[in-house]
Amino acid sequence: MEHRLTEPFTREKTAKYKAGDKVFLTGEIYTARDAAHKRIVEMISKGQALPFDVKDAVIYYVGPTPAKPGHPIGSAGPTTSYRMDAYAPLLLDMGQLAMIGKGQRSEEVKKAVIRNKGLYLAAIGGAGALMADHIKSSEIIAFEDLGAEAVRRLYVEDMPLTVVLDSKGGDLYEEGRLEYLKTQGK
């Protein structure tokens, strides 16, 4: 199935999404990779204010290249998500709605997605220029010293994504593997 997800992002809107569904996302999202996640979790442990409200937030695991003149951002393909697995369950428990990246996630992340009725969405790996075409604005809001890994606020339009982990336990990577094995007679 195809869905159009626009702000405000809510669990009521995403509850019907299933692993394998296509999602075209429009609205404000944030970027953070492993170095930024580490700092965010440290801020949480110290009771400090975070650079953005985690509740219902969508975080894109990306470290974009510098923008060319006239563009809001450079190439912006997803990074491998498992590097955020140590941090993702806490953020999901704090109300984060969705993560965007590529690759499989740990059992702890899968359980946190189900427990919090969240989502894990896959962006197209190796297609950073295509993903950047859907980013209409980009602003660094925290950790500028991290360069490409700084936290940014992005506004995206019709960003093409695929649901990998849904709120009911669906896992596209597992389901896809099993479907493939069936076609191979295994």
Side-chain angles (χ1 to χ4, degrees), residues 150-167:
V151 174
R152 289 172 169 76
R153 179 184 301 116
L154 305 179
Y155 186 82
V156 301
E157 288 181 0
D158 290 327
M159 180 178 265
L161 305 166
T162 303
V163 177
V164 175
L165 299 177
D166 66 40
S167 62

Side-chain angles (χ1 to χ4, degrees), residues 26-57:
T26 297
E28 191 173 272
I29 66 173
Y30 301 93
T31 69
R33 285 183 38 167
D34 30 332
H37 272 77
K38 183 178 184 209
R39 286 192 188 175
I40 289 168
V41 168
E42 288 169 354
M43 292 174 78
I44 292 166
S45 71
K46 294 176 183 175
Q48 297 173 335
L50 299 181
F52 60 92
D53 186 1
V54 175
K55 184 166 175 14
D56 294 328

Side-chain angles (χ1 to χ4, degrees), residues 17 20 29 40 45 88 91 93-94 106 133 153 158 182 186:
Y17 295 7
I29 66 173
I40 289 168
S45 71
L91 295 175
D93 288 344
M94 291 180 65
S106 69
D133 284 345
R153 179 184 301 116
D158 290 327
K182 280 186 203 173
K186 297 179 182 182

Side-chain angles (χ1 to χ4, degrees), residues 124 127-135 160:
I124 303 165
L130 170 67
M131 299 310 289
D133 284 345
H134 295 275
I135 299 170

Side-chain angles (χ1 to χ4, degrees), residues 2-132:
E2 280 190 11
H3 305 279
R4 297 215 173 267
L5 179 58
T6 58
E7 284 186 284
F9 304 131
T10 65
R11 282 159 180 73
E12 291 75 28
K13 288 181 180 179
T14 61
K16 63 185 175 216
Y17 295 7
K18 293 186 178 359
D21 286 356
K22 294 178 185 173
V23 175
F24 295 93
L25 181 74
T26 297
E28 191 173 272
I29 66 173
Y30 301 93
T31 69
R33 285 183 38 167
D34 30 332
H37 272 77
K38 183 178 184 209
R39 286 192 188 175
I40 289 168
V41 168
E42 288 169 354
M43 292 174 78
I44 292 166
S45 71
K46 294 176 183 175
Q48 297 173 335
L50 299 181
F52 60 92
D53 186 1
V54 175
K55 184 166 175 14
D56 294 328
V58 176
I59 299 177
Y60 185 21
Y61 302 152
V62 62
T65 63
K68 292 179 182 175
H71 296 270
I73 202 164
S75 182
T79 196
T80 305
S81 299
Y82 75 81
R83 293 196 312 258
M84 275 56 73
D85 282 3
Y87 313 110
L90 173 62
L91 295 175
L92 287 162
D93 288 344
M94 291 180 65
Q96 179 182 341
L97 176 64
M99 307 156 285
I100 303 170
K102 68 177 181 181
Q104 292 184 308
R105 305 306 298 268
S106 69
E107 280 304 311
E108 292 78 17
V109 172
K110 291 178 188 181
K111 289 175 185 174
V113 166
I114 296 165
R115 179 172 65 243
N116 295 289
K117 298 180 175 37
L119 290 174
Y120 171 48
L121 304 164
I124 303 165
L130 170 67
M131 299 310 289

